[in-house]
Amino acid sequence: MDSGLAELDARISGCRACPRLVAWREEVARTKRAAFAEWTYWGRPVPGFGPADASLLIVGLAPAAHGANRTGRMFTGDRSGDVLYAALHDVGLASRGTAVSADDGLELYGVRITSPVHCAPPANRPTPGERDACRPWLVSELELLRPTLRAVVVLGAFGWQAVLPALTGAGWDVPRPRPAFAHGARITLDGRPRPLDLLGCFHVSQRNTFTGRLTPAMLRDVLRTAAEAAGLPTTPYER
């Protein structure tokens, strides 16, 4: 990994800026869930995952208490991650369609995954203040990815609201009034060294996937469109 991103990830993992989030993530790591009683939980902020020269960035919301907060890797070890990585694998952007632990051998191809809040929040709901406190990490990550980044997929309205000011902070031109979130939304932002395509997608939460608000086909369509915008090869979906 590029030394700049490696250093950023290490700094993120040691952050203790938000007392409520620190207390919650550490309490969850101590008490655990019965199904994971044998696990040693990560219990810290979860850094981004993927190559330092990614041309596509996927932005979620925050780590799940018994998912990434347990495994230490974005979207790993929970049902939301099962849906996301299956779709990434289907379109040729991941080496496998499952993510169970940080050492399971999963690789992403040209894609990095991050979130605007790096600690697991109670009830999966960070506060606006916690989102804003975490923003400098996202700005720094965007700045480090700038040489290769060509497209960003944002999962959900919370992430969309967090990403827009971060993109401004990292040097892209976000229009005013700020564009509203919608599934399938796509806008192009001016910036250097190249414009950036920003795409919206419903979050891969169980509430959305269990109710059919977001189907695997819908997710694959967004990812394939984003991959094309990012100049990444995709594979036809067959099952």
Side-chain angles (χ1 to χ4, degrees):
M1 180 183 291
D2 176 83
S3 60
L5 268 176
E7 180 181 348
L8 178 69
D9 290 347
R11 291 171 58 209
I12 288 172
S13 297
C15 183
R16 301 183 65 85
C18 300
R20 187 182 80 114
L21 297 186
V22 171
W24 173 254
R25 78 190 190 212
E26 293 181 353
E27 174 65 17
V28 169
R30 282 193 299 270
T31 59
K32 308 181 182 181
R33 178 176 282 173
F36 306 121
E38 301 304 315
W39 276 78
T40 299
Y41 274 52
W42 173 257
R44 289 180 276 162
V46 181
F49 168 53
D53 60 350
S55 57
L56 171 59
L57 182 66
I58 298 174
V59 181
L61 192 163
H66 301 282
N69 186 57
R70 170 172 59 91
T71 64
R73 193 175 71 190
M74 287 287 172
F75 282 104
T76 298
D78 60 38
R79 290 183 175 177
S80 294
D82 292 343
V83 173
L84 177 60
Y85 286 115
L88 286 167
H89 180 66
D90 287 342
V91 300
L93 299 176
S95 62
R96 54 188 290 174
T98 57
V100 295
S101 66
D103 59 357
D104 60 12
L106 172 65
E107 293 183 64
L108 298 180
Y109 305 136
V111 180
R112 185 170 170 87
I113 300 176
T114 193
S115 63
V117 175
H118 287 276
C119 292
N124 291 321
R125 293 182 179 177
T127 67
E130 290 161 349
R131 175 199 64 200
D132 294 346
C134 219
R135 182 179 299 149
W137 298 126
L138 183 55
V139 172
S140 295
E141 191 167 12
L142 287 165
E143 289 174 337
L144 289 167
L145 291 170
R146 172 184 287 280
T148 56
L149 193 62
R150 297 174 62 178
V152 176
V153 172
V154 184
L155 303 174
F158 183 94
W160 185 270
Q161 293 166 0
V163 161
L164 293 177
L167 286 167
T168 298
W172 279 278
D173 296 329
V174 176
R176 291 277 190 176
R178 289 176 177 169
F181 171 79
H183 180 84
R186 181 177 181 178
I187 61 173
T188 301
L189 307 179
D190 291 331
R192 295 180 179 179
R194 64 185 62 83
L196 184 76
D197 280 295
L198 179 65
L199 299 93
C201 179
F202 290 140
H203 196 278
V204 288
S205 65
Q206 292 184 50
R207 180 177 60 183
N208 287 338
T209 58
F210 283 8
T211 62
R213 188 180 190 216
L214 178 67
T215 66
M218 292 166 63
L219 179 57
R220 288 193 299 268
D221 285 345
V222 172
L223 292 175
R224 187 172 286 109
T225 298
E228 291 170 354
L232 296 172
T234 60
T235 58
Y237 173 70
E238 295 179 2
R239 180 170 294 172

